Amino acid sequence: MNTRPLWLRFAIRLSLALTAMVLAMLALFVSFYQYAHIQEAKEYVSTFSQALAKQIQPALLTYNQSELENLVAYLDLQQHVLWLSIYNADGDRIVDRAFTKLSEPERKLYLPNQLETLPQKPQFKQISLMGHYDTKPALYYHMPIRVEGSDVIWGSINLGYTLTSNIFTTGHLFQLFGILALFGLAIGVMIVRFFSNWITTPIKE
């Protein structure tokens, strides 16, 4: 025989339903946020790389190594750029700059010394880099460098861009899930308690 008060049983069921609904809405919101964040990152990386390619073209065409390195140097101010490498028409890496620590397999995969073929069109790829305790989401971007008015590919830009958000870290998500779960339980108890008193008060009188 169930000895729990009727209002408590209703409260538990309603609280669980509210908690599930709130968590489902949170999951949808996080998914939408991640999608919007990735699209925004793609747009930024594409615009940034195209502007950089225009600046690189003269130095690339004249094989001015020092000028290429100077153009890449200012990227220290770009906090979200993880690495940048420039390849010539033969697929040789002539400039590279890593702003984060990459493992040896990651360097070979994303920053090879030699490319078999240059990309014919911009390429986006979502990747995961190994961190100290977990993986870090990132965006891999590789685009050809063409001189305006020509289809000839003179080189390529290879760029890594972090997708790590300062808003939704793993710890923050767990805290938010916990707070919302407690909030749903509390609201459920308050609602059922109110209706239970509203129904039973006239009977007691």
Side-chain angles (χ1 to χ4, degrees):
M1 182 176 179
N2 197 338
T3 58
R4 293 175 180 172
L6 182 61
W7 71 267
L8 181 58
R9 281 181 278 166
F10 276 111
I12 293 173
R13 293 173 184 175
L14 182 60
S15 298
L16 291 175
L18 287 173
T19 302
M21 183 175 63
V22 170
L23 293 181
M25 292 177 62
L26 178 62
L28 287 174
F29 174 76
V30 171
S31 298
F32 173 78
Y33 170 82
Q34 290 176 340
Y35 173 79
H37 182 56
I38 291 172
Q39 296 305 312
E40 182 181 0
K42 285 183 176 180
E43 183 177 352
Y44 172 81
V45 168
S46 178
T47 303
F48 173 79
S49 299
Q50 290 174 11
L52 184 63
K54 290 182 179 180
Q55 293 180 328
I56 287 174
Q57 283 178 8
L60 185 63
L61 296 176
T62 57
Y63 302 98
N64 192 330
Q65 182 76 18
S66 61
E67 182 65 21
L68 287 171
E69 293 177 353
N70 290 335
L71 287 171
V72 174
Y74 84 96
L75 285 175
D76 286 324
L77 301 176
Q78 303 292 325
Q79 297 180 355
H80 298 291
V81 175
L82 300 175
W83 71 79
L84 174 70
S85 59
I86 301 172
Y87 294 86
N88 61 19
D90 296 324
D92 298 321
R93 191 182 69 195
I94 53 177
V95 175
D96 75 284
R97 191 77 174 268
F99 305 98
T100 188
K101 186 176 181 180
L102 298 173
S103 65
E104 191 60 30
E106 289 172 340
R107 289 192 64 89
K108 290 181 179 180
L109 183 60
Y110 303 122
L111 292 171
N113 294 324
Q114 174 75 36
L115 295 176
E116 294 182 2
T117 57
L118 294 175
Q120 299 297 311
K121 60 182 181 179
Q123 301 174 353
F124 280 106
K125 184 190 300 183
Q126 287 181 240
I127 61 175
S128 295
L129 301 175
M130 293 300 299
H132 292 291
Y133 304 104
D134 55 3
T135 57
K136 298 181 293 184
L139 193 65
Y140 172 87
Y141 182 67
H142 201 176
M143 64 163 284
I145 300 177
R146 289 187 173 93
V147 179
E148 292 185 12
S150 172
D151 292 331
V152 179
I153 299 176
W154 291 91
S156 66
I157 293 177
N158 174 356
L159 186 143
Y161 187 84
T162 179
L163 292 176
T164 302
S165 171
N166 293 327
I167 299 177
F168 291 111
T169 60
T170 303
H172 290 157
L173 282 177
F174 277 116
Q175 292 177 7
L176 190 56
F177 270 100
I179 292 172
L180 289 176
L182 292 175
F183 179 75
L185 288 172
I187 292 296
V189 171
M190 291 173 60
I191 292 175
V192 176
R193 186 67 174 176
F194 171 78
F195 280 105
S196 176
N197 291 336
W198 181 66
I199 294 172
T200 58
T201 298
I203 298 175
K204 292 178 180 179
E205 294 178 352

